[in-house]
Amino acid sequence: MVIDKPGYEHLIQFLTENLALFEQAGTPYRPAKSVGEFLEECIAEQIIQLCTQHTELEMNHRSLIIREVDGIVYDFQEVLGSVLDNEISCEQAEIIHEIALLIKNLFDNAVAALLD
């Protein structure tokens, strides 16, 4: 659905190019959360919004989306592995939030193509 698309590869590359941001302390994010917690929450929020917006999705489509999201979270956890338990900074939160929005955009495009 999206994992095998060039846009997803670009997201992984974008995260990799910004890894230095995760190796330095920044402005503390409040409420305090770990990088891993924030990553999961941001992506979950966007996928919930996606499913809410696309009421015409069938259960098998939703299941496919959830499986892909699990794979995406796993990939991002692999890239961020050494910093997942670190407290997130505002700057890191901004990058993760942006990536979560881009993930939703990838799924919006895939759902639109699926339903056409």
Side-chain angles (χ1 to χ4, degrees):
M1 185 169 240
V2 300
I3 290 179
D4 60 346
K5 303 292 187 240
Y8 181 69
E9 292 174 26
H10 292 282
L11 278 179
I12 296 290
Q13 183 178 358
F14 176 71
L15 179 61
T16 303
E17 290 169 357
N18 286 285
L19 277 180
L21 180 65
F22 291 89
E23 296 169 355
Q24 55 195 353
T27 309
Y29 182 85
R30 297 292 173 240
K33 296 177 187 253
S34 71
V35 171
E37 284 176 309
F38 192 82
L39 173 69
E40 290 176 10
E41 287 177 12
C42 274
I43 293 174
E45 284 175 11
Q46 294 305 313
I47 297 308
I48 289 168
Q49 187 174 2
L50 173 86
C51 290
T52 302
Q53 289 173 337
H54 296 283
T55 57
E56 66 278 12
L57 284 172
E58 297 175 11
M59 185 56 79
N60 62 328
H61 298 137
R62 292 173 191 264
S63 295
L64 177 59
I65 290 168
I66 297 303
R67 281 194 302 274
E68 289 233 352
V69 168
D70 284 344
I72 290 168
V73 170
Y74 177 81
D75 288 348
F76 280 75
Q77 287 173 336
E78 286 293 307
V79 173
L80 296 170
S82 64
V83 298
L84 284 175
D85 293 327
N86 294 356
E87 193 171 306
I88 194 162
S89 71
C90 290
E91 297 82 5
Q92 295 163 349
E94 187 177 319
I95 289 285
I96 289 176
H97 184 71
E98 182 178 337
I99 288 171
L101 290 171
L102 292 169
I103 289 169
K104 181 185 179 292
N105 189 40
L106 288 174
F107 276 106
D108 279 329
N109 292 332
V111 167
L114 181 70
L115 298 176
D116 278 346

